[in-house]
Amino acid sequence: MTPMNRRGFVAAAAAMGAAAASVSLNPQTAQALTGHGPGTGAEGPRTPTRTDGLPYEDAADFADADRGFVAAFTGGPITTAAGKTAWDPDAYRFLTEAADGRPGRGDGPGTVDPSLWRQARLLSRQGLYRVTDRIYQVRGLDLSNMTIVEGDTGIIVIDPLISAETAAAALKLYRTHRGDRAVRAMIYTHPHVDHFGGCRGVLPDGAGDVPVLAPKGFMEHAVSENVYVGTAMARRAAYMYGSTLPRNAGAQVGCGLGLTVSLGTVGLIAPTRFIGATGEEVVLDGVRIRFQMTPGTECQEEMNFLFPDLRAVCMAENATHTMHNVLTLRGAQVRDAHAWAGYLTESIGLYADAADVAFASHHWPTWGNEAIVALLTHQRDLYGYLHDQTVRLINRGMTGTEIAETFRLPPRLEGVWANRGYYGSLSHNVKAVYQRYMGWFDGNPAHLWEHPPVAEARLWVESLGGQAAVRARARHYADRGELRFAVTLLNHAVFNDPGDSRAKRQLAALYTRLGQAVENAVWRNFYLTGAQELLHGITPHATATLGPDMYLALSVGQIIDSLAVRVDGPKAWDLRIAMDWHIGADHWHLRLVNGLLTWTADTRPDPDADLTLTMSKTQLIALLAGRGTDGVTMTGDRTLLPRLLGVLDDPEPEFPIVTP
């Protein structure tokens, strides 16, 4: 960056207010972050004021969220066979009990940003809803929606939630009010778990002769996140969704996309038909469906589809009532904001005159063709502007952090409720676009070889005069409203001395203040979960249970790859293992050399293999799960199997995040 460019950046940041620009949020949020305006300091809540210019008097979203209501779910907590609570529909009752008679009002408790409070109340609606003729949705029984389309003889189920238990409850609610109709087809819009995991609640015995449709590439992506870094993603997802936080106005109030994730049994019924081209049309139980493929948008493989005879369009997760993530904070591959905008342009052309209602796999529908086009246009412009302006500023020499600090949407876009950053944020989405093109390195040699957190913390604390001095300086900056720098200093203090309870309490108080101020629900959950863990340590959190479907869906190659990323390299440096796995008609040739596990496959046995295992894939999964080698035939050096298993590292599901 030239000196002129950097001066321009500094001037822009000063003009906008650094804290407000960094998160692209409401002015009252900036007040809370900077310490100016109403509030009680770092230790207590603020009093938000509606000075953000957002149209809180517009209650249209509340009317749409309530439109078509048929019946609420009243069955109490939904539990698993083991008695674990998969979903508690009453956990968010505080959101509806807080209603003040003004559905669009943005005021709320001083512990929640007013805009986020509005979104949380919208998401608190639950039950069975009529979308249009023959189309119904069950909302509020999981993170996502289940959509049910009535065919000539039965029903088509779209996106069967995360857990079998919540999906079964949703289907039962529908059948109670619409009749016991058989499932004639099932559709997965994309391979994220909240859109397929509850399949066994819809088809307990598997697909049978029921067609299951999905976009091409579905199976590969549906299992990949659970193979390589699934453990780390699950740990960070606990932060992202606030899994261990209480459900109340001071803690978890949802995640912007929905309320939270269910914790039941996850299954995966393999699709029987893959959709591969835009314009492809199928007829399911007498219902005509026309597809639009949108790879690289919200998911690597995703599809929208139109019901031309019903004038209804499913937008999957490509157009919702929030800014979405270009990169999720739980971790994932960066999405393509440019492609996302391009496919929404295509959607506008496809559906501008063809649909009277648009529904999605989250949130509430949009009725009226003009309103549908407006939603798609606003979302298209959101992702397109975000992408193009970030790239423009990259080419001006700015780093991702610098761009995010000053980035603002055009006023006509940022004032649209559906573009607000409840789930994604401008700040981390801008950095994601930078990452997609430029990677982690910003080009500054000072950032090329930085110390890891503990070593850097020790040097910072030493240079500032010790723990007490760092705590004092952090308090000074917090009092000045520089909460982000105060947090940086206290983070160094905690990583230098994790036993310093005063530093932990001080940092937790600032995390709480930040969390209760931000509009983004995911940022809120991260901050508040960090505060909780600083004060009380890591709380073991419940997770969904992966059923056997997920493991059986893995190819043998993916199973071997999942072992390869667990090999403790230094521990295996001196091992040389040649092993064959004979499964069905194929031979999988495993080689462990130089701490690297590789494989090839063909139909011929390897005469040089030191050990050959003949087994089924089910027996392989049982073996790797520690359930023994029953039914497995072993020929050769049997000691090689325990030697291979002995160099596999066990993932740590509850590793520390806010402490070393």
Side-chain angles (χ1 to χ4, degrees), residues 82 163 165 167 197 220 271 305 452 460 632 637:
S163 304
E165 293 82 359
E220 175 188 351
F305 39 93
W460 269 101
V632 178
D637 185 354

Side-chain angles (χ1 to χ4, degrees), residues 563-577 591-598 644 647-649:
L563 299 181
V565 298
R566 291 177 53 198
V567 171
D568 184 332
K571 190 175 179 180
W573 281 345
D574 296 327
L575 279 180
R576 295 181 64 87
I577 296 177
R591 298 296 180 267
L592 179 62
V593 182
N594 294 324
L596 174 68
L597 181 63
T598 60
L644 172 61
V647 297
L648 300 183
D649 205 7

Side-chain angles (χ1 to χ4, degrees), residues 147 149 156-160 183 185-190 195-196 211-215 218 275 282 284 289 291 303 305 307 314:
T147 303
V149 181
I156 303 160
V157 174
I158 303 169
D159 286 355
V183 176
M186 187 161 61
I187 301 175
Y188 305 138
T189 60
H190 60 289
H195 304 272
F196 69 81
V212 179
L213 279 64
F218 175 91
I275 305 298
V282 301
L284 299 174
I289 308 172
F291 294 90
M303 59 188 186
F305 39 93
F307 296 87
C314 174

Side-chain angles (χ1 to χ4, degrees), residues 579-599:
M579 184 183 301
D580 262 20
W581 289 354
H582 182 197
I583 300 173
D586 296 318
H587 291 263
W588 301 81
H589 313 299
L590 284 67
R591 298 296 180 267
L592 179 62
V593 182
N594 294 324
L596 174 68
L597 181 63
T598 60
W599 60 270

Side-chain angles (χ1 to χ4, degrees), residues 182-394:
V183 176
R184 299 302 187 197
M186 187 161 61
I187 301 175
Y188 305 138
T189 60
H190 60 289
H192 288 160
V193 70
D194 51 324
H195 304 272
F196 69 81
C199 57
R200 291 285 176 178
V202 175
L203 297 172
D205 300 321
D209 59 357
V210 175
V212 179
L213 279 64
K216 63 179 179 59
F218 175 91
M219 288 299 288
E220 175 188 351
H221 295 294
V223 300
S224 62
E225 286 189 1
N226 298 287
V227 174
Y228 300 122
V229 290
T231 300
M233 282 188 181
R235 173 71 171 120
R236 283 178 32 173
Y239 268 66
M240 182 171 172
Y241 296 108
S243 300
T244 63
L245 295 173
R247 274 52 169 157
N248 60 53
Q252 209 266 12
V253 296
C255 67
L257 192 66
L259 294 173
T260 189
V261 295
S262 66
L263 301 174
T265 306
V266 174
L268 175 55
I269 296 173
T272 62
R273 176 171 178 176
F274 294 99
I275 305 298
T278 293
E280 188 171 343
E281 189 169 300
V282 301
V283 177
L284 299 174
D285 196 27
V287 179
R288 207 158 48 104
I289 308 172
R290 188 180 304 143
F291 294 90
Q292 178 198 8
M293 308 311 297
T294 64
T297 54
E298 188 273 337
C299 187
Q300 297 96 329
E301 299 291 347
E302 192 152 353
M303 59 188 186
N304 305 325
F305 39 93
L306 176 73
F307 296 87
D309 301 320
L310 304 178
R311 293 188 61 81
V313 61
C314 174
M315 290 305 300
E317 208 165 327
N318 288 319
T320 58
H321 291 283
T322 180
M323 180 191 306
H324 216 296
N325 289 300
V326 178
L327 176 62
T328 67
L329 298 187
R330 65 180 171 85
Q333 294 181 6
V334 179
R335 296 159 184 172
D336 189 342
H338 179 65
W340 201 331
Y343 282 116
L344 286 173
T345 296
E346 183 179 65
S347 297
I348 294 167
L350 290 172
Y351 309 132
D353 298 314
D356 295 325
V357 62
F359 62 91
S361 301
H362 297 273
H363 301 144
W364 52 95
T366 298
W367 283 272
N369 192 260
E370 183 178 344
I372 293 169
V373 172
L375 172 67
L376 299 183
T377 301
H378 289 145
Q379 293 258 292
R380 184 272 311 277
D381 292 353
L382 164 67
Y383 299 119
Y385 187 89
L386 189 153
H387 172 272
D388 291 355
Q389 295 305 305
T390 300
V391 171
R392 177 180 69 85
L393 294 171
I394 289 173

